[in-house]
Amino acid sequence: MSGRSDKIVPLAVKIVVSGGLGVGKTTFIGAISEIEPLDTEAAMTQVSVGVDSLEGVESKTTTTVALDFGRITLDPTIALYLFGTPGQDRFSFLWDDLVEGALGTVVLVDTRRIEECFPAVDYFESQGAPFVLAVNRFDGAERFDVDEVREALGLGADVPVLECDARNRDSVRDVLGALMDRVIGVRATPRRRTATLTR
């Protein structure tokens, strides 16, 4: 009888959830995580006045100051570890550490404050990281077609843009599934080699 365990240890895959302040990153992770999510929510103080724009989310009283963390096991072979970034520009210095080793990213957007997602979109495009854009549907917010959102953000046709409700587990699962499809598609596409001759 061997001492080996037949238990399958799932492959750990790191996923980042990003976007602007108040877009629903903490809610998104909390809706799907099979463990008690870790968050670094802190009360908003006078320090943020004039620095963090709360236009459109005036009722927000807490904010992520470091990261959110959760986990979801897709099947016995794959576990997704979800890392949420802080949304404020003043905490963007944390992004490089949070995205290191990530397989892909979900960028959440609130169409009431669409400009808040530009820093995240620009960052992940510059990193060449696979990402999907998830339009979080807030109650009472004007609805736009996903193609209108794509056009407003100048996203290429290769970037999936889909609607979601960050409070709903099934909706979050669908977004993560779309990201996995995007990651697999990017990894499966052969990169064209370029050669430069110099004398």
Side-chain angles (χ1 to χ4, degrees):
M1 186 176 192
S2 76
R4 288 181 52 198
S5 169
D6 291 332
K7 184 177 179 185
I8 297 172
V9 177
L11 173 68
V13 175
K14 182 178 183 180
I15 299 298
V16 171
V17 180
S18 193
L21 174 67
V23 78
K25 300 177 296 292
T26 302
T27 302
F28 183 96
I29 291 173
I32 196 80
S33 182
E34 64 196 16
I35 62 172
E36 184 68 29
L38 165 72
D39 65 56
T40 57
E41 290 280 300
M44 298 192 74
T45 65
Q46 288 299 111
V47 173
S48 67
V49 175
V51 178
D52 301 327
S53 171
L54 293 178
E55 187 176 338
V57 288
E58 291 84 1
S59 62
K60 187 169 177 61
T61 58
T62 63
T63 187
T64 299
V65 295
L67 63 94
D68 296 315
F69 175 78
R71 183 188 74 210
I72 177 69
T73 303
L74 294 184
D75 64 42
T77 63
I78 301 176
L80 299 185
Y81 289 84
L82 307 173
F83 289 79
T85 66
Q88 304 94 313
D89 285 343
R90 62 193 168 106
F91 293 129
S92 62
F93 66 91
L94 295 169
W95 287 16
D96 287 339
D97 290 332
L98 288 174
V99 303
E100 186 176 346
L103 199 60
T105 302
V106 173
V107 176
L108 282 171
V109 62
D110 175 356
T111 55
R112 300 171 303 176
R113 312 169 76 231
I114 198 162
E115 69 285 348
E116 290 290 316
C117 79
F118 278 117
V121 169
D122 290 345
Y123 179 86
F124 293 106
E125 283 184 333
S126 72
Q127 297 289 314
F131 71 94
V132 299
L133 190 91
V135 180
N136 193 6
R137 294 305 188 192
F138 287 89
D139 294 337
E142 185 177 356
R143 293 192 155 235
F144 294 92
D145 185 79
V146 291
D147 288 332
E148 291 179 278
V149 175
R150 177 190 305 283
E151 186 176 343
L153 295 173
L155 294 175
D158 59 320
V159 178
V161 180
L162 56 158
E163 296 184 340
C164 82
D165 181 342
R167 302 165 297 185
N168 182 283
R169 181 180 177 84
D170 290 342
S171 184
V172 170
R173 186 198 60 225
D174 290 346
V175 171
L176 293 173
L179 177 61
M180 291 296 96
D181 289 345
R182 168 87 168 128
V183 167
I184 291 167
V186 168
R187 301 238 181 237
T189 303
R191 296 188 181 210
R192 183 173 293 160
R193 290 182 180 268
T194 57
T196 304
L197 297 176
T198 57
R199 290 184 181 259

